Amino acid sequence: MGTVTIGVSIAVPEPHGSELQQLRAGFGDAAAHGIPTHVTLLPPTEIDEASLPAVEAHLAEVAAAGRAFPMRLSGTGTFRPLSPVVFVQVAAGAEACTLLQQQVRDPAGPVNRELQFPYHPHVTVAHGIDDAAMDRAFEELAGYEAEWPCTGFALYEQGADGVWRKLREFPFGGSVVPPQAGRVERGSVPIR
């Protein structure tokens, strides 16, 4: 066994997820189709593949203690000039996301890690593209609005091709999915 790169996130549901992914691609972000639209709880993290079961057990515990909460996206923001990112803002649900990401990265858990930047829940719509396209993304999505009830989160793995694929969903409130249920085998069709 080797290492794998994982991430934990809240998926932006349909039709919003596909809409934002298509817009991201339209702004010229080549990574758009390899990254399901999401709010990050654990950024890309390299772990030993053998520790995946412990990570899944930890995430199941976090989810079991969680409760659904309202998520609302509204308007845009940017991390420029510090980081070349334009995002849609999390207007409701930010506190719950912040608490969840702390629980996911619990120092006593299997994915304890420091963040490069302070946590700020958001949905990336442009990353690492030219400034004019970043400006266009910021302006065109300034009035963007979407809302839904957040009922859980998911574990993803980044393939050798750079595409992120869902390994397992973790619904809130004790509805624990058996460890192998919902798992996507490596090499399967990516989530688009």
Side-chain angles (χ1 to χ4, degrees), residues 39-42 94 97-99 101 105 115 117-122:
V39 175
T40 299
L41 298 177
L42 176 72
C97 290
T98 299
L99 177 61
Q101 66 87 28
R105 294 185 309 104
L115 298 178
F117 300 105
Y119 182 74
H120 181 85
H122 65 280

Side-chain angles (χ1 to χ4, degrees), residues 37 109 158 176 188-189:
T37 308
Q158 186 178 38
V176 178
S188 65
V189 177

Side-chain angles (χ1 to χ4, degrees), residues 103-117:
Q103 293 169 335
V104 167
R105 294 185 309 104
D106 185 322
V111 284
N112 174 26
R113 69 162 284 186
E114 294 297 317
L115 298 178
Q116 183 178 1
F117 300 105

Side-chain angles (χ1 to χ4, degrees), residues 54-147:
V55 170
E56 291 186 17
H58 171 67
L59 295 176
E61 287 179 17
V62 170
R67 297 292 174 257
F69 59 91
M71 286 282 286
R72 185 168 62 84
L73 305 180
S74 181
T76 52
T78 184
F79 294 132
R80 295 185 294 173
L82 191 59
S83 181
V85 173
V86 171
F87 56 86
V88 174
Q89 298 189 65
V90 175
E95 287 181 25
C97 290
T98 299
L99 177 61
L100 274 174
Q101 66 87 28
Q102 289 170 342
Q103 293 169 335
V104 167
R105 294 185 309 104
D106 185 322
V111 284
N112 174 26
R113 69 162 284 186
E114 294 297 317
L115 298 178
Q116 183 178 1
F117 300 105
Y119 182 74
H120 181 85
H122 65 280
V123 177
T124 299
V125 292
H127 181 221
I129 57 177
D130 69 69
D131 283 338
M134 298 278 272
D135 292 342
R136 192 168 62 104
F138 187 86
E139 292 165 12
E140 286 184 17
L141 291 172
Y144 188 83
E145 297 279 337
E147 59 184 294

Side-chain angles (χ1 to χ4, degrees), residues 2-22:
T3 61
V4 293
T5 300
I6 62 166
V8 178
S9 63
I10 296 168
V12 174
E14 296 305 330
H16 316 298
S18 292
E19 177 184 30
L20 288 172
Q21 190 175 47
Q22 291 303 320

